[in-house]
Amino acid sequence: MNEPLDIAVLGAGSWGTTLAILLDQNRHRIRLWEYFPEQASRIAEARVNETFLPGVPIPASIQIGSDLQVALDGAELVLFVVPSHTIRPTARAAAATGRIDRKTIIVNAAKGLEEHTLLRLSQVLEAELPSEPANILSLIGPSHAEEVSQGIPTSVVAAGPDVEIAAQVQHVFKRPYFRVYTNDDVIGVEIGVALKNIIAIAAGVCDGLGYGDNTKAALLTRGLVEISRLGCALGARRETFFGLSGIGDLIATALSRHSRNRYVGERIGRGELLESVLKGMVMVAEGVRTTRAAVDLGEREGVELPIIESINEVLFHRKDPQAAINALMNRPLREEMW
Amino acid sequence: MNEPLDIAVLGAGSWGTTLAILLDQNRHRIRLWEYFPEQASRIAEARVNETFLPGVPIPASIQIGSDLQVALDGAELVLFVVPSHTIRPTARAAAATGRIDRKTIIVNAAKGLEEHTLLRLSQVLEAELPSEPANILSLIGPSHAEEVSQGIPTSVVAAGPDVEIAAQVQHVFKRPYFRVYTNDDVIGVEIGVALKNIIAIAAGVCDGLGYGDNTKAALLTRGLVEISRLGCALGARRETFFGLSGIGDLIATALSRHSRNRYVGERIGRGELLESVLKGMVMVAEGVRTTRAAVDLGEREGVELPIIESINEVLFHRKDPQAAINALMNRPLREEMW
């Protein structure tokens, strides 16, 4: 149906590797770029990403390397799947190769906010790359790489300001097991997926405290209200938070055994300190960084964020997790509000 | 803070027993009514409900019996916690005692729709009882009895057309571990909690098929869209579906090891037939009955309900569960819509 495209996938973590394989199944020509040369060689030789996606073979048709210039040469679509704090330097390096022009389609698949600037990730890409804003999108939703790589049915959202370009991206990525919706509310989609990681930490804290489904369900529900409030203040549409990038991603993250954010929260709930939890982790728990950024955003926008602020206190100021949850339960009662 | 009330709790299942104990902790005078005299005597003697809430002691201050007249005598508030299909006969019998007048506050804590009439449960109570409509409320939310009875933090909604009466009910029930919000969108609250049981069955089907969090998150998200669409057609406010009685209850039900609806779905997903699954169950899986009612409601209101209709096919027309889920994944792609 589609013409095969030249696609550069930047970042060979579990999600980048998974999407590279999926795009290869759709007959696109894929170059998978990995920052660390040694890791790139290891994956290229073994034809499997033992560190991040063990057991899933990588087809020979996918080129793997750590030379950004080679990866981007002739790329019609560039997919960014790097940790959120490396997206700016990666974009800057990509721009410096001269291989990206205003027509290159850029798809961000990372979730988070940039610390200090408090920018969404597509805003960071817009600032660093020559691509036209209409050509910069995010592909996002409840999609654990471990499951997508096994062909388990998954639905995500392609979010961009131009509906037609979003529809193109939709067709580039869709597979029988990978359903892609479109949405032009980029702010809502990106804020939802960034901030839900904080609520996932809160859900993990409940698990660690031995609390059950009731507490978690209430926290997730009220957490989503907080996220949507902040998002609307930033210009998002409220209903976006009730879609795949909002509730959907929140559910998948907050209740999953795969979720690193939930797991960080669980260990904190059991009484460990953040430093010791993070020390033992290979992969990044984006929510830890996002918490600080969200608190700053809430202050800047004048939006009350009781759950997110509590998690901030627990993570960075050693507030007792049980006291934090109980305090949230005992705020003055009122109508169910938005 | 509050004057103690005379309260009749009708139904000594796990949730009725739990709420009776909670109201007793709030110093109200409680009579707990159970339909089966033998079961009532057993509970009254053992001071524990071994069938439905084992291990939780029932204080001596709670009167237990199966005489409806005695239970209702002087009751200022009557709490209905019976299975949805027995709510009409129970209300009719209650009205016949002559112990309920227009000022009696009626609180429904059951979830479901009446089959054939397709009425919400507060509508059934309104039809059968002399209480003024403003005095008929629902108390509902993500609240597994097993957890509330252990004092695990829980949040629910008191929904009624009159905000002041809802606020009274809020104060009757609230405990440090039991947070009660109010909401005047009774339609939205009751439709949300009734229909989410169907989506919980769908989530269970995913589990039974060995699908993971991605599929479940997508189904829950899109399922909630269906529920809200139908609810809005019936006069509900959309945001109610994103509150405790909507998302909240859906999360608690669809992902919980306690949920009977999810469990029914799981066994169906593994290839069992509905009859054999239901045969072995002591407690009621409300979602099975609600599925038929929801399909009828959708037809009456002209609202498309693809997930609910698929579950109806799987439950009652032996449609293959995997084929049903895959068909849902492969419907024509479009924008993320409401």
Side-chain angles (χ1 to χ4, degrees), chain A:
Chain A
M1 299 186 283
N2 285 76
E3 285 296 293
L5 299 180
D6 284 301
I7 298 179
V9 178
L10 307 187
S14 58
W15 192 218
T17 307
T18 297
L19 287 175
I21 295 170
L22 179 147
L23 290 167
D24 176 78
Q25 291 167 351
N26 274 352
R27 312 253 165 245
H28 302 293
R29 294 173 294 270
I30 308 302
R31 270 160 287 172
L32 176 59
W33 174 83
E34 157 62 38
Y35 180 80
F36 296 102
E38 255 186 39
Q39 171 74 347
S41 313
R42 218 170 6 230
I43 300 172
E45 249 168 64
R47 284 284 139 192
V48 63
N49 188 336
E50 278 303 344
T51 324
F52 294 117
L53 199 69
V56 180
I58 301 174
S61 43
I62 296 179
Q63 291 181 41
I64 302 163
S66 64
D67 186 325
L68 199 51
Q69 191 130 343
V70 171
L72 292 172
D73 199 38
E76 295 155 278
L77 189 155
V78 181
L79 180 63
F80 282 80
V81 209
V82 295
S84 65
H85 65 288
T86 67
I87 206 157
R88 189 181 290 273
T90 307
R92 194 167 290 173
T97 66
R99 294 295 192 273
I100 294 179
D101 63 30
R102 61 183 192 79
K103 288 166 69 184
T104 312
I105 295 192
I106 305 294
V107 178
N108 161 54
K111 302 171 177 179
L113 293 172
E114 193 175 50
E115 271 190 296
H116 310 300
T117 68
L118 311 183
L119 292 175
R120 291 175 286 105
L121 302 185
S122 71
Q123 290 179 301
V124 175
L125 292 173
E126 217 178 296
E128 296 292 340
L129 297 173
S131 291
E132 275 176 16
N135 290 331
I136 299 179
L137 299 93
S138 275
L139 183 83
I140 257 159
S143 50
H144 294 293
E146 298 81 348
E147 298 183 1
V148 176
S149 64
Q150 289 165 50
I152 287 179
T154 301
S155 300
V156 300
V157 179
D162 184 312
V163 177
E164 289 198 13
I165 297 173
Q168 282 174 35
V169 169
Q170 179 181 54
H171 285 277
V172 168
F173 282 88
K174 73 167 186 170
R175 295 281 303 155
Y177 62 88
F178 197 70
R179 189 169 171 81
V180 185
Y181 289 81
T182 61
N183 194 325
D184 64 359
D185 180 13
V186 186
I187 301 175
V189 166
E190 290 189 320
I191 290 292
V193 296
L195 269 59
K196 58 89 200 182
N197 282 328
I198 309 169
I199 309 302
I201 294 175
V205 170
C206 286
D207 290 336
L209 288 168
Y211 287 172
D213 301 312
N214 297 358
T215 319
K216 235 184 332 188
L219 260 183
L220 262 56
T221 306
R222 301 305 302 170
L224 196 70
V225 171
E226 280 186 31
I227 294 175
S228 70
R229 237 187 252 149
L230 181 56
C232 291
L234 293 165
R237 287 197 301 268
R238 193 198 286 161
E239 59 260 42
T240 300
F241 298 97
F242 307 126
L244 291 164
S245 58
I247 294 174
D249 212 11
L250 179 60
I251 290 174
T253 306
L255 302 149
S256 172
R257 61 195 181 290
H258 301 305
S259 164
R260 305 186 279 275
N261 293 293
R262 198 207 57 76
Y263 180 68
V264 166
E266 183 174 343
R267 290 182 58 184
I268 300 239
R270 280 200 240 113
E272 291 185 61
L273 290 176
L274 183 61
E275 302 85 84
S276 77
V277 175
L278 294 185
K279 217 180 291 169
M281 293 181 75
V282 188
M283 295 203 251
V284 185
E286 291 282 6
V288 175
R289 267 194 211 94
T290 311
T291 302
R292 267 198 262 238
V295 168
D296 291 347
L297 261 186
E299 275 170 22
R300 197 186 76 190
E301 302 292 328
V303 177
E304 215 192 335
L305 305 170
I307 298 176
I308 291 171
E309 281 156 18
S310 296
I311 292 301
N312 190 54
E313 290 293 307
V314 169
L315 290 179
F316 301 113
H317 303 104
R318 304 197 175 188
K319 180 161 184 174
D320 176 58
Q322 183 153 20
I325 300 287
N326 291 347
L328 287 171
M329 291 295 290
N330 286 300
R331 303 177 69 225
L333 280 170
R334 47 167 126 173
E335 281 182 71
E336 201 173 20
M337 277 200 332
W338 294 97

Side-chain angles (χ1 to χ4, degrees), chain A residues 144 147 152-153 257-258, chain B residues 206-207 209-217:
Chain A
H144 294 293
E147 298 183 1
I152 287 179
R257 61 195 181 290
H258 301 305
Chain B
C206 286
D207 290 337
L209 288 169
Y211 287 172
D213 301 312
N214 296 358
T215 319
K216 235 183 336 186

Side-chain angles (χ1 to χ4, degrees), chain B residues 85-107:
Chain B
H85 64 289
T86 67
I87 207 157
R88 188 181 289 272
T90 307
R92 194 168 289 173
T97 66
R99 294 296 192 275
I100 294 179
D101 63 28
R102 60 182 192 81
K103 288 166 68 184
T104 313
I105 294 189
I106 306 293
V107 178

Side-chain angles (χ1 to χ4, degrees), chain B residues 1 13 18 43 49 56 60 65 85 89 92 94 112-113 153 168 172 180 197 205 218 237 258 277 280 296 330:
Chain B
M1 301 186 281
T18 297
I43 299 172
N49 188 336
V56 181
H85 64 289
R92 194 168 289 173
L113 294 173
Q168 282 173 36
V172 169
V180 185
N197 282 329
V205 170
R237 286 197 302 268
H258 301 306
V277 175
D296 291 348
N330 285 302

Side-chain angles (χ1 to χ4, degrees), chain B residues 72 151 167 266 294 338:
Chain B
L72 292 172
E266 182 173 343
W338 293 98

Side-chain angles (χ1 to χ4, degrees), chain B residues 54-105:
Chain B
V56 181
I58 301 174
S61 43
I62 296 179
Q63 291 181 41
I64 301 163
S66 64
D67 186 324
L68 199 51
Q69 191 130 344
V70 172
L72 292 172
D73 200 39
E76 296 155 278
L77 188 154
V78 182
L79 179 63
F80 282 80
V81 210
V82 295
S84 65
H85 64 289
T86 67
I87 207 157
R88 188 181 289 272
T90 307
R92 194 168 289 173
T97 66
R99 294 296 192 275
I100 294 179
D101 63 28
R102 60 182 192 81
K103 288 166 68 184
T104 313
I105 294 189

